[in-house]
């Protein structure tokens, strides 16, 4: 197995196919195809299903992503050690961020990091399931995760709290509600669009709090895709708990209210301090300094 093959494999994954990988790498498409075929022969497994012009990862291909990214970080660390001055940070900062947290504090911190270390690059990946936070770090998919807390299965990992995210109630256009915050005991009898419960989600907390007040939410839709909640609200399927910034962005067309008590969840940066790259250590120093000042 050659390092170049691993690099090309990840380029195909991250650029949605051979065409995008070739463009990103600055090589011809047949070069990428040949490297992939050679890697599959050497490993004795198929990494992609070829469907027409598309490429879909097999189970073996998915399992190779984390170790491949770890190899790239390790090689980058060796190159830094041999070629960089002691004060210069190069390489790649590798994060996976839960979509609802992909704005605000983490973007400010990345901007500060890039200003301080302009020769370093950043991979800003998508964390689809917060329950995978610990495993994606341990399996080498990334160095850092930004997710809601507390972290499930986070033994041995370090957490730096970055802030609190507030959630508001959003209802379909035309919903008649009194002004001001909505209390749990006076929740309107309007069906709700929820993320499936389990694993300490906000839906769990909301459901538990309502039951303590002698109320019970009526479920219209369980939406596994969090991004679908607000479009479903706007389409009239029901109300939902959404991030305050999202709720305020549609307040001219939907009916949005804060809850009482206020619904919030803390979130933070999660990492393994024993396996950080030089760029990763520099980022932790920056985040620690910024949070201490705050």
């Amino acid at each position: 197995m050659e390092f170049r093959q691993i690099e090309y494999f990840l380029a195909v994954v991250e650029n949605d196919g051979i065409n995008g990988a070739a463009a990103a790498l600055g090589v011809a498409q047949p070069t990428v195809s040949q490297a992939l075929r050679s890697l599959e022969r050497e490993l004795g497994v198929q990494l992609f299903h070829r469907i027409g012009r598309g490429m879909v990862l097999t189970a073996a291909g998915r399992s190779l992503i984390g170790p491949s990214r770890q190899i790239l970080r390790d090689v980058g660390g060796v190159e830094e050690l041999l070629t960089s001055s002691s004060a210069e940070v190069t390489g790649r900062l590798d994060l996976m961020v839960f979509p609802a947290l992909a704005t605000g504090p983490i973007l400010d911190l990345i901007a500060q990091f890039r200003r301080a270390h302009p020769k370093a690059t950043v991979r800003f990946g998508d964390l689809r399931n917060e329950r995978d936070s610990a495993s994606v770090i341990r399996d080498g998919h990334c160095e850092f995760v930004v997710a809601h807390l507390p972290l499930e299965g986070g033994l041995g990992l370090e957490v730096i709290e970055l802030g609190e995210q507030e959630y508001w109630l959003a209802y379909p256009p035309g919903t008649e509600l009194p002004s001001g915050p909505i209390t749990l005991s006076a929740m309107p009898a309007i069906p709700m669009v929820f993320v499936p419960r389990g694993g300490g989600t906000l839906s769990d907390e909301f459901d538990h709090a309502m039951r303590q007040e002698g109320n019970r939410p009526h479920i219209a839709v369980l939406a596994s895709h969090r991004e679908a909640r607000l479009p479903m609200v706007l389409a009239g399927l029901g109300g939902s708990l959404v991030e305050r910034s999202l709720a305020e962005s549609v307040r001219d067309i939907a009916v949005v209210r804060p809850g009482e008590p206020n619904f919030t969840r803390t979130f933070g940066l999660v990492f393994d301090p024993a396996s950080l790259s030089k760029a990763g250590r520099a980022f932790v120093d920056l985040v620690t300094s910024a949070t201490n000042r705050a």
Side-chain angles (χ1 to χ4, degrees):
M1 185 189 303
E2 298 178 6
F3 175 72
R4 177 181 57 86
Q5 294 171 324
I6 294 296
E7 189 177 25
Y8 284 15
F9 164 72
L10 283 178
V12 172
V13 172
E14 294 173 359
N15 293 279
D16 298 321
I18 289 176
N19 292 349
L25 294 165
V27 300
Q29 295 173 23
T31 302
V32 178
S33 296
Q34 185 177 356
L36 276 185
R37 296 286 189 188
S38 177
L39 180 60
E40 288 178 323
R41 284 195 301 270
E42 291 176 20
L43 294 176
V45 295
Q46 186 177 357
L47 300 174
F48 293 92
H49 296 297
R50 277 78 173 174
I51 303 174
R53 293 177 178 270
M55 306 278 287
V56 179
L57 280 163
T58 64
R62 285 192 297 273
S63 68
L64 185 61
I65 294 174
S68 296
R69 286 185 174 140
Q70 187 63 59
I71 289 171
L72 258 62
R73 285 195 293 272
D74 291 343
V75 171
V78 172
E79 290 176 346
E80 281 187 333
L81 182 65
L82 296 175
T83 63
S84 297
S85 68
S86 59
E88 188 176 48
V89 175
T90 58
R92 185 167 80 169
L93 185 65
D94 208 348
L95 306 96
M96 293 182 73
V97 182
F98 188 62
L101 303 173
T103 58
I106 189 59
L107 294 187
D108 293 338
L109 290 168
I110 291 173
Q112 292 178 44
F113 175 81
R114 285 282 298 126
R115 287 194 294 271
H117 308 292
K119 290 190 176 181
T121 60
V122 178
R123 184 182 77 89
F124 196 81
D126 196 3
L127 178 69
R128 303 303 304 175
N129 190 337
E130 289 184 302
R131 297 180 194 175
D132 296 335
S133 296
S135 63
V136 296
I137 293 174
R138 293 194 176 104
D139 293 344
H141 287 269
C142 60
E143 282 190 284
F144 298 95
V145 158
V146 178
H148 288 108
L149 304 175
L151 185 71
E152 184 177 337
L155 186 64
L157 301 180
E158 196 164 315
V159 175
I160 301 175
E161 284 194 17
L162 297 179
E164 236 179 25
Q165 189 171 57
E166 185 179 355
Y167 287 79
W168 280 20
L169 289 153
Y171 291 97
T175 302
E176 294 187 5
L177 293 176
S179 60
I182 298 176
T183 62
L184 290 177
S185 58
M187 284 280 295
I190 298 172
M192 300 292 289
V193 177
F194 270 177
V195 174
R197 301 184 183 94
T201 65
L202 186 66
S203 295
D204 291 327
E205 298 173 18
F206 182 72
D207 182 70
H208 179 69
M210 283 195 68
R211 289 175 188 274
Q212 285 189 319
E213 294 292 327
N215 208 336
R216 184 174 182 174
H218 303 279
I219 307 300
V221 180
L222 290 175
S224 297
H225 297 284
R226 292 172 183 266
E227 296 84 353
R229 288 173 300 162
L230 193 53
M232 287 182 175
V233 170
L234 297 179
L237 290 174
S240 190
L241 273 173
V242 299
E243 296 78 21
R244 177 175 177 173
S245 60
L246 289 178
E248 291 183 324
S249 72
V250 297
R251 67 188 317 160
D252 290 340
I253 51 176
V255 178
V256 299
R257 297 283 191 278
E260 192 175 280
N262 198 13
F263 299 109
T264 60
R265 291 193 74 184
T266 57
F267 61 94
L269 184 74
V270 184
F271 58 95
D272 180 357
S275 62
L276 291 178
S277 65
K278 187 174 182 179
R281 290 192 298 274
F283 188 60
V284 169
D285 290 343
L286 183 148
V287 173
T288 302
S289 176
T291 52
N292 287 341
R293 287 197 303 270

